[in-house]
Each structure stands twice: as C-alpha cells, then as structure tokens.
Amino acid sequence: MKKILYIAIFLILITEKSFSQDYIVQVNDRNRAIELISQASTFIENNELEKAYITILESITIDSTFRPAYLYLFKIFTLDNLFADKVLPFLIKGRNIYNDDDELTFYIAEIYRIKSEYEKAKIEYSKAINLSKNNGENFPLIYLYYLNRGNCNLKLNQIDSAILDYTNSIKLKPNHSNTYYNRGISYYAKGTIDKACEDWSKSLKLGNKNANVYIDKFCKSTKNNKSLK
C-alpha cells in the first residue's frame, strides 16, 4: 500500500532538473498552462496580440517552467515590434530558468537589436553562440546568431569583427544571400573592393537583387568588371 501511494504522489509532481535550480510543478498547473497557451495560439492566429500576450502571462504565472510560453511571447514580438519592452523581461525570466538555452538567449538578442541597443544585443548573441557550442550547432537558427551579431558589429563600425561573424555564418549556411551582401558592405567599408565585389556577385547569384545596385555603383567601373560577368 505504501508503494502504491508513493507512486501516486510521484505522478502528481513534475520536477524539472535541467534548470538553474529545481522546480516542482503540479500536474494541474501544467495542464492549465498548456490550455492557456493553446488559447494564446488561437489569439495570435486571429491577430489578437494583446489578448494573446495577457493569456501567456497568465500561463507563466501559473507555471513559469513551461518553455513554449516564452517562444510564443517572442512570436508576438515578431508580429508587432511594439511589444518589445513588454516581452523582453519575461524572455529574460525564461532564460534565467532555462539558463543553458541558446535559442531563448538569441531571442533576447534579437529584441535588443531591433531596439537598436547593439552593444546589449552583441552580449546576448555571444552568450547564445557560446551556449550553442555546448548544445550542438545543428540547430537551424545558429547561422543567424553569427549573422546578426555581425550586423551589430557593422552598425558599430567594428568592421573586422563583422567580417569574421559573417564568415562564420557562411560556414553554417553557405547559400544565404544576405550574409554575402552584408559581408560585401563590410569589405567595402574596409577598402577591400575586390572581395566586396566578389561577395556582392555571389549574393546576386543567390537571388539578392539589391546587390546589383552596389555592383553597378562600385564594381563595374573597376577591374572587377570581368570577374562579375
């Protein structure tokens, strides 16, 4: 009888052990959190973002360890950047729970970047990159960790760092046209025109028609013209 009772008690509690500390969540709370996130998803589909936001916060209040809640908060931000300041502290809260989560850290960095807080964004991108090296670099968004840190470096006129980030991004996703486009801008800012034109040419071939503007303006009147044909 004691053995059966012990098993029953064990099933009532969910212990999360992958966080910075142990969390115990009652099954009823987890189920209610899931239900609320399902409601929030419907609100998002209907573009009722404020309702979705409020519903997600209710879910987090009930069960702060339910990771999808934080992912949906970021989705709201991607649909309306005006939610940046509302969403950010809760994403930080989620990252503090899942303290080895490179994806959540990346989303924090994205919000800082959109807010033009490039130094803060760089710090978070760097954290995400370091975590990804421990978690495994097979997650499909990791090339963006480097690409967008590179974009921050370019905004801050840290050109060598930007080029390095774009190069690492290309290693992870070789056919991403915007990475070559931005690295070309970085090479041009550094005065390395040949490499800039090579990157813009590659970007154009991969479908980025905006690269043609730079090619026409900076490359076709130079010795690079031959290599671009």
Side-chain angles (χ1 to χ4, degrees), residues 28-38 59 62-63 66:
N28 288 342
D29 288 343
R30 172 55 57 91
N31 289 340
R32 178 56 179 158
I34 293 171
E35 180 183 336
L36 287 166
I37 293 304
S38 178
S59 175
I62 293 169
D63 178 5
F66 188 50

Side-chain angles (χ1 to χ4, degrees), residues 136-161:
E137 292 188 317
N138 56 345
F139 183 58
L141 293 182
I142 292 178
Y143 80 97
L144 288 172
Y145 299 7
Y146 290 98
L147 171 58
N148 287 344
R149 188 175 70 175
N151 290 339
C152 291
N153 280 319
L154 185 57
K155 287 285 188 179
L156 294 167
N157 202 35
Q158 297 169 355
I159 303 303
D160 287 336
S161 295

Side-chain angles (χ1 to χ4, degrees), residues 89-127:
F90 291 99
L91 283 181
I92 293 172
K93 174 186 175 74
R95 194 267 305 279
N96 289 341
I97 294 172
Y98 290 88
N99 59 3
D100 61 348
D101 195 314
D102 56 280
E103 183 183 3
L104 287 178
T105 303
F106 168 67
Y107 294 153
I108 292 168
E110 287 286 271
I111 293 175
Y112 280 131
R113 181 177 62 84
I114 296 300
K115 284 164 58 68
S116 300
E117 297 183 38
Y118 299 118
E119 290 289 0
K120 289 182 179 180
K122 275 185 58 178
I123 291 170
E124 298 300 333
Y125 286 127
S126 297
K127 289 178 183 177

Side-chain angles (χ1 to χ4, degrees), residues 85 101 129 213 222 228:
D85 290 329
D101 195 314
I129 288 167
V213 174
T222 71
L228 296 170

